[in-house]
Amino acid sequence: MDRFVTKKIRLDLETVATEENVDDPRSIIDRSNQAPLEAPSFKYLFNDFYKVLTVEGKKLSAICQNCQKVVNGSTNSSGNFLSHIKLKHNLLMQKVKEARKRHDVSKTTEIQTKLFSGPAKKWSKEKIGDLVFNYIIQEMRPLITCEKPAFRQLILGLTGLTSADSVLLPDRNYISKKLNTSYTNYISMLTSLLIKQQYICTTADIWSTNNKSYLGMTCHFIEEISYTRHSYVLGCRRIKGGHNYLNIAEVINEITQTFQIINSKITHTITDNASNFGKAFWTFSTTLCEKSNTNDVVNLSSDSDSNTIGDNGDSEYDEYCEIQHVDLYPLLSEESNEHSEDISICLPDHMKCCAHTLNLIATTDIAKITDRSYLQISKGTFEKLFKFWNLVSRSTAASDTVSDKCNCKFPVPVITRWNSIYDAAKKILFYKEKLIPVFEELKLNKLKTTEWLFLKEYCEVMEPLASALDKLQGE
């Protein structure tokens, strides 16, 4: 039996009834109770060209206002509706394009209104200054950033302000003053917080960049009530001169005094295994300072006793005793003055970083192996690998060749970067099959079978240390 569909559509568009006959002409499906559709994204078609009839999920039915024909389509696509106008009412296509342009302009205006609506009075100088300050500090940008023309135009555009309101934008002086104020407030906040703590732990480290040396310190403590660990930065100070024990001790002592931290409250100060740190804490340890103070008290008491005995002695001897005046200024040299100042420096107990100790085991201690067979195969293997790493890091042509063959870059080991040799060797081992022809193309000595086996065993032995270091560094 032929299938047919008969649709009855009321022109007033209030209800729509569709009669569908599938093997039974009496089967009728009534869709008159469906809710009207909200305008889709191409709603410009439903102002002058179509009227929405029904919607079922993504299925959309609309009636053409020119020929009263029902057109079925999707809420996500205007293809069927535009095709009907193009085929049946081609003269209306120009009006459709104009309606679409008006719709796009109104949509853009609506978005801009939502973004920049509201009077400019809501954007105060303090609010803009706080936002710019937070951006510069958190992104560690130079203070001159706030005076760059492009940056100022960005702020004006986002806030909807005009060029006449540029007085609201902060300059370097404003950011600098706010930075000093924030730092002073931070010192006050952290000082009051550390006074309440019974025990704290500090860390210290030195590094150099751009021919300048810095010492950074952090503090850590566990809150007694909630057992929550808190960590704060104590400072990052310049170290002028060499990294000697005296400069280190002075900077550490200066930072602890800034936050009024008592040495008895510091359980340990953790540093790396460098000898300059060890000498600083050994020379200016709290125990030695206490002993020196005790000796001073004993000496003073003995002097007072001797003076008392002298006073009770024969006074005739004092009458005939000649007093010789001596100029003490030449005797007090700069070194003695510096030494007297150094006595006031007292450092807490010292503890070496366990992660740095593990790194020394993986680098320094492994180089002390005296087995000849190990030294021979280790030296030959890593000499070939370092030639490869140096060539890739210095030659752009070699780097491009490796990138084309392996689709990756190989890290170059750095002494100051922990696990760098292990990570680089492990990646070499992972791309073994692809690197063999690369070594030939770059005219490098290929690794022998025994050297590949050594490299594999090296990675297996060093993996526990590397994993431990990664976890400790991540913590």
Side-chain angles (χ1 to χ4, degrees):
M1 184 179 293
D2 296 336
R3 303 169 64 93
F4 63 93
V5 177
T6 304
K7 296 183 180 179
K8 296 180 181 179
I9 304 169
R10 295 180 56 183
L11 296 179
D12 56 1
L13 302 179
E14 292 179 356
T15 60
V16 177
T18 305
E19 296 180 358
E20 299 185 3
N21 191 328
V22 182
D23 297 334
D24 187 0
R26 293 176 296 177
S27 62
I28 299 175
I29 300 175
D30 188 5
R31 298 175 182 167
S32 59
N33 295 327
Q34 292 180 346
L37 172 70
E38 295 183 0
S41 59
F42 46 92
K43 62 181 180 180
Y44 62 93
L45 292 176
F46 301 95
N47 295 331
D48 301 323
F49 309 100
Y50 290 96
K51 288 292 184 182
V52 178
L53 296 180
T54 60
V55 60
E56 292 181 0
K58 294 183 179 181
K59 295 180 180 181
L60 173 63
S61 297
I63 184 172
C64 179
Q65 297 190 25
N66 295 280
C67 63
Q68 305 303 320
K69 181 178 179 180
V70 176
V71 180
N72 298 319
S74 173
T75 57
N76 297 331
S77 175
S78 60
N80 291 350
F81 303 101
L82 291 176
S83 298
H84 172 74
I85 296 177
K86 187 175 181 180
L87 294 175
K88 301 297 182 181
H89 314 288
N90 192 23
L91 297 177
L92 297 177
M93 287 301 298
Q94 185 63 29
K95 293 184 178 180
V96 172
K97 293 180 181 179
E98 294 176 357
R100 184 172 184 175
K101 289 181 180 180
R102 290 194 301 268
H103 172 263
D104 293 340
V105 172
S106 62
K107 187 176 181 180
T108 304
T109 305
E110 183 181 356
I111 294 175
Q112 291 177 349
T113 303
K114 290 181 180 180
L115 287 175
F116 306 118
S117 60
K121 295 180 181 178
K122 292 184 178 180
W123 293 100
S124 62
K125 185 175 182 179
E126 291 73 17
K127 179 64 175 178
I128 298 176
D130 291 341
L131 293 174
V132 174
F133 176 79
N134 292 334
Y135 166 76
I136 291 177
I137 297 303
Q138 294 178 13
E139 297 296 329
M140 294 186 291
R141 307 300 302 171
L143 301 185
I144 191 62
T145 302
C146 62
E147 295 183 359
K148 295 293 183 67
F151 182 81
R152 297 175 74 87
Q153 291 176 5
L154 175 65
I155 300 300
L156 292 175
L158 293 176
T159 56
L161 301 175
T162 61
S163 57
D165 300 322
S166 59
V167 293
L168 300 176
L169 303 183
D171 54 5
R172 277 183 298 174
N173 295 330
Y174 177 87
I175 299 297
S176 179
K177 292 179 181 178
K178 190 173 181 62
L179 181 61
N180 294 331
T181 304
S182 300
Y183 179 68
T184 304
N185 296 336
Y186 178 79
I187 292 178
S188 303
M189 179 275 298
L190 189 55
T191 301
S192 60
L193 183 62
L194 294 178
I195 290 175
K196 301 177 183 178
Q197 308 305 319
Q198 186 175 2
Y199 300 105
I200 64 174
C201 175
T202 59
T203 66
D205 191 21
I206 298 178
W207 67 93
S208 300
T209 179
N210 296 329
N211 297 326
K212 294 180 180 179
S213 300
Y214 300 90
L215 186 144
M217 284 193 67
T218 61
C219 68
H220 314 269
F221 61 88
I222 298 177
E223 190 178 351
E224 296 180 358
I225 299 176
S226 62
Y227 293 98
T228 303
R229 187 181 62 182
H230 299 271
S231 301
Y232 293 92
V233 177
L234 293 178
C236 180
R237 305 288 178 88
R238 274 289 313 276
I239 292 185
K240 295 184 178 180
H243 297 178
N244 56 64
Y245 75 100
L246 184 58
N247 289 339
I248 293 174
E250 288 179 350
V251 175
I252 292 178
N253 188 68
E254 179 185 349
I255 292 176
T256 53
Q257 289 181 355
T258 301
F259 294 91
Q260 302 177 12
I261 301 175
I262 304 174
N263 286 334
S264 60
K265 184 178 293 187
I266 303 177
T267 58
H268 292 88
T269 296
I270 301 174
T271 69
D272 57 22
N273 292 260
S275 59
N276 50 4
F277 271 117
K279 186 176 181 179
F281 283 91
W282 178 80
T283 305
F284 301 102
S285 64
T286 304
T287 305
L288 293 178
C289 292
E290 292 176 353
K291 288 182 178 179
S292 63
N293 293 334
T294 304
N295 294 333
D296 292 341
V297 173
V298 173
N299 293 333
L300 288 174
S301 61
S302 62
D303 292 342
S304 61
D305 293 340
S306 63
N307 291 335
T308 304
I309 295 173
D311 292 339
N312 295 332
D314 191 2
S315 60
E316 295 180 357
Y317 177 80
D318 295 337
E319 293 179 358
Y320 293 99
C321 180
E322 296 182 359
I323 300 176
Q324 182 179 1
H325 297 278
V326 178
D327 188 7
L328 297 179
Y329 180 78
L331 301 178
L332 301 177
S333 61
E334 294 182 358
E335 295 181 357
S336 61
N337 291 335
E338 291 181 358
H339 181 70
S340 62
E341 293 178 358
D342 296 342
I343 297 177
S344 62
I345 300 177
C346 287
L347 301 182
D349 293 336
H350 181 221
M351 179 179 289
K352 297 179 180 179
C353 176
C354 61
H356 188 252
T357 303
L358 289 177
N359 180 67
L360 292 178
I361 294 174
T363 55
T364 305
D365 293 347
I366 200 174
K368 298 178 182 179
I369 298 176
T370 57
D371 184 74
R372 291 185 178 181
S373 60
Y374 168 80
L375 293 176
Q376 184 178 0
I377 192 171
S378 175
K379 182 179 179 181
T381 303
F382 282 106
E383 279 183 356
K384 295 177 181 179
L385 292 180
F386 271 102
K387 287 181 180 179
F388 168 75
W389 288 324
N390 292 333
L391 181 62
V392 170
S393 63
R394 298 173 182 176
S395 173
T396 56
S399 178
D400 293 339
T401 301
V402 174
S403 180
D404 294 339
K405 299 292 184 180
C406 302
N407 296 325
C408 67
K409 291 185 177 180
F410 290 86
V412 180
V414 181
I415 298 177
T416 57
R417 188 175 303 163
W418 298 354
N419 287 343
S420 61
I421 296 180
Y422 168 79
D423 294 335
K426 188 175 181 180
K427 195 162 187 179
I428 291 288
L429 199 62
F430 182 79
Y431 287 93
K432 173 184 175 181
E433 302 300 330
K434 294 183 179 180
L435 283 176
I436 292 176
V438 171
F439 272 64
E440 293 181 356
E441 186 173 351
L442 296 179
K443 298 180 181 180
L444 295 174
N445 294 330
K446 296 186 297 182
L447 271 69
K448 302 177 183 178
T449 304
T450 54
E451 292 173 340
W452 282 112
L453 293 175
F454 166 79
L455 194 63
K456 181 181 179 181
E457 186 175 353
Y458 172 85
C459 292
E460 291 176 353
V461 172
M462 300 302 296
E463 185 176 3
L465 285 175
S467 300
L469 280 174
D470 289 337
K471 290 183 178 180
L472 291 172
Q473 291 181 90
E475 208 285 333

